[in-house]
Amino acid sequence: MVEFIMKIYDISMSIHRQMPVYKGREHKRPIITNDSNFSNSTVYESRIEMNLHTGTHIDSPLHMIENGSNMDFLNLKDLIRNCKVLDFKRIEDKITAKDLQTKDIAPGDFVLLKTRNSFSDILETDFIYLDASGAIYLSNIGIEGVGIDALGIERDQAGHETHKTLMKADIIILEGLRLADVDEGTYFLFAAPLKIAGVEAAPVRALLLDKEV
Amino acid sequence: MVEFIMKIYDISMSIHRQMPVYKGREHKRPIITNDSNFSNSTVYESRIEMNLHTGTHIDSPLHMIENGSNMDFLNLKDLIRNCKVLDFKRIEDKITAKDLQTKDIAPGDFVLLKTRNSFSDILETDFIYLDASGAIYLSNIGIEGVGIDALGIERDQAGHETHKTLMKADIIILEGLRLADVDEGTYFLFAAPLKIAGVEAAPVRALLLDKEV
């Protein structure tokens, strides 16, 4: 079916109690508990409680837009497709329209923004983000999706303008990626989220596939 | 990268409060609540609490074997690969070694067992399962994985012999599939589970890919 020998890049965060969460907010830390084990049962079973924006996840418009569409309306084909990893790891604060102009971005693209978030301990604090000018630039091109190695695609912008600009343009937002091991280039993205009905976001095991070199 | 036009079969259960759960046990029903919405915040966020064996999921040996290996030890390449869907929808009770002998199953295969569970309202009660003789037959062949359209791969067998036989042979167990729309044949399986650290099981958005006809 898929004939080439694949290389698989796991670009997802590991989910556990001490993982980084958005701005270090305690209610975003997952709680993993034991339902049964071999001291009280014949089976070992665990349980998880988590905010749906924990770790690697996809946002739908309902997250930021009242009566926006929820995850049920995403098309799997838009999440299982080619994508472009763009390297912005030298950027110190935020990705702007001017930064994006240096890259080859075309209508219909799904772009993943690789920043120093993938290398530094800044995920809970002053993480690199896509600013409002960058979101407008990408929506004007007409991309279909954008991912970033931050737990939010923006921070500290009044009115969440990056999210809203992207959502109004029906651009899929994929957050919480880990891109340290992935060079700039084209890959096959696999980002089918957990199938939770009627919600505004869902966790995903995001992967990139490439031909084995 | 993947050059053909894909057809995607979503073989996952939808996760919601009223979904079928193993034997109808209340503690396996997911609890989805709202963390914030537009009446009290500028963002809408949900939270989920669920047993890790809810809906479509993968079991690791730790689920049934004390000190068995957990999900961290699964290799993604074993979950992103070709598989065979085998049609057993005429079976009325359980799949045995004798039933499996009618199918082409080879060493290294990942087989998905399609039964009337995918069509009937029996998931919480007398669902079709793989019996101990079938598990021994598959482990003797040397398959690498087995999936089924039931919330457990067995029921009502003393000592959970089906699980234990498969786990001792390092055969991956994928439960909670929905196979009504998939005919017998070969497909490309995508079953990378949520990356939860150190646990015995994890939910997965399982898909089959095929060439578009």
Side-chain angles (χ1 to χ4, degrees):
Chain A
M1 199 71 53
V2 175
E3 308 291 351
F4 56 85
I5 308 296
M6 288 183 305
K7 180 167 174 61
I8 301 173
Y9 294 94
D10 186 356
I11 58 170
S12 306
M13 293 176 69
S14 186
I15 298 170
H16 57 92
R17 183 68 184 161
Q18 288 78 32
M19 70 187 296
V21 294
Y22 183 74
K23 294 193 174 179
R25 289 174 182 165
E26 282 305 312
H27 74 281
K28 295 214 172 168
R29 290 197 202 284
I31 301 166
I32 299 168
T33 51
N34 185 258
D35 266 0
S36 70
N37 61 62
F38 301 108
S39 72
N40 57 27
S41 171
T42 58
V43 299
Y44 184 107
E45 294 197 358
S46 303
R47 168 180 297 268
I48 195 165
E49 180 185 340
M50 63 190 286
N51 177 287
L52 295 181
H53 304 261
T54 302
T56 311
H57 67 279
I58 291 170
D59 283 348
S60 78
L62 177 61
H63 176 42
M64 292 280 181
I65 298 174
E66 195 159 4
N67 303 314
S69 66
N70 64 41
M71 295 293 289
D72 300 352
F73 295 91
L74 282 183
N75 186 333
L76 284 173
K77 285 204 176 184
D78 295 333
L79 298 160
I80 303 172
R81 49 160 293 163
N82 282 324
C83 74
K84 289 178 183 171
V85 173
L86 305 177
D87 191 335
F88 292 107
K89 67 175 175 284
R90 281 169 307 185
I91 284 182
E92 291 291 324
D93 182 32
K94 60 189 185 180
I95 299 170
T96 67
K98 194 173 171 189
D99 301 316
L100 293 163
Q101 284 163 13
T102 65
K103 302 292 185 183
D104 168 35
I105 305 173
D109 276 356
F110 201 122
V111 298
L112 306 186
L113 310 175
K114 175 180 177 175
T115 77
R116 68 189 184 89
N117 296 331
S118 285
F119 304 90
S120 314
D121 193 19
I122 55 177
L123 275 187
E124 294 196 347
T125 53
D126 54 340
F127 59 83
I128 312 300
Y129 64 101
L130 177 69
D131 88 344
S133 76
I136 292 168
Y137 179 81
L138 293 174
S139 67
N140 285 342
I141 290 178
I143 67 162
E144 293 183 356
V146 58
I148 192 166
D149 53 3
L151 286 158
I153 197 160
E154 70 184 307
R155 63 173 164 82
D156 307 330
Q157 293 188 127
H160 309 295
E161 285 311 316
T162 293
H163 275 92
K164 287 183 180 170
T165 297
L166 297 170
M167 287 170 170
K168 285 173 184 165
D170 286 322
I171 296 169
I172 294 168
I173 301 172
L174 174 56
E175 296 172 327
L177 298 176
R178 302 280 71 200
L179 296 170
D181 299 330
V182 188
D183 291 334
E184 183 162 291
T186 299
Y187 300 86
F188 192 77
L189 171 68
F190 213 100
L194 213 59
K195 191 176 182 176
I196 308 173
V199 291
E200 83 294 345
V204 57
R205 180 69 174 268
L207 306 170
L208 296 178
L209 309 189
D210 195 9
K211 290 178 184 165
E212 189 80 74
V213 288
Chain B
M1 201 69 56
V2 175
E3 310 289 352
F4 56 85
I5 309 296
M6 287 183 307
K7 181 166 173 61
I8 301 173
Y9 294 93
D10 187 356
I11 58 170
S12 306
M13 294 178 68
S14 185
I15 298 170
H16 57 91
R17 183 69 185 158
Q18 289 77 32
M19 70 187 295
V21 293
Y22 182 75
K23 295 194 174 179
R25 290 174 182 165
E26 281 306 311
H27 74 280
K28 294 217 172 165
R29 290 195 202 286
I31 301 166
I32 299 168
T33 52
N34 184 258
D35 265 359
S36 70
N37 61 62
F38 301 108
S39 74
N40 58 25
S41 172
T42 58
V43 300
Y44 184 107
E45 295 196 358
S46 303
R47 170 180 295 268
I48 195 164
E49 180 186 339
M50 65 190 284
N51 177 287
L52 295 182
H53 303 261
T54 302
T56 310
H57 67 281
I58 291 170
D59 284 348
S60 77
L62 178 60
H63 177 40
M64 292 280 180
I65 297 175
E66 196 158 5
N67 302 314
S69 66
N70 64 39
M71 296 294 288
D72 299 354
F73 295 90
L74 282 183
N75 187 332
L76 284 172
K77 285 204 174 182
D78 296 332
L79 298 160
I80 303 171
R81 49 160 294 164
N82 283 325
C83 73
K84 291 178 182 171
V85 173
L86 304 177
D87 191 335
F88 292 107
K89 66 175 177 286
R90 283 170 303 185
I91 284 182
E92 292 291 325
D93 181 32
K94 61 189 185 182
I95 299 170
T96 66
K98 194 172 171 189
D99 301 316
L100 292 163
Q101 283 163 12
T102 66
K103 303 292 187 185
D104 168 35
I105 305 173
D109 276 355
F110 201 122
V111 298
L112 306 186
L113 310 176
K114 175 181 176 175
T115 77
R116 67 190 184 88
N117 296 332
S118 284
F119 304 91
S120 315
D121 193 18
I122 55 176
L123 275 187
E124 293 196 346
T125 53
D126 53 341
F127 59 83
I128 312 301
Y129 64 100
L130 177 68
D131 88 343
S133 76
I136 292 168
Y137 180 80
L138 293 174
S139 68
N140 284 343
I141 289 178
I143 68 163
E144 293 183 356
V146 57
I148 192 166
D149 53 2
L151 286 158
I153 197 159
E154 71 184 306
R155 63 174 163 83
D156 307 329
Q157 294 188 127
H160 310 294
E161 285 311 315
T162 293
H163 275 91
K164 287 183 181 169
T165 297
L166 297 170
M167 287 169 169
K168 286 173 184 166
D170 285 323
I171 296 169
I172 294 168
I173 301 172
L174 174 55
E175 296 171 328
L177 299 176
R178 302 279 70 200
L179 296 170
D181 299 331
V182 188
D183 292 333
E184 183 161 291
T186 299
Y187 299 86
F188 192 77
L189 171 69
F190 213 99
L194 212 58
K195 191 176 181 175
I196 308 173
V199 292
E200 83 294 349
V204 55
R205 180 68 173 271
L207 305 170
L208 295 178
L209 310 188
D210 195 10
K211 290 178 183 164
E212 189 81 74
V213 287

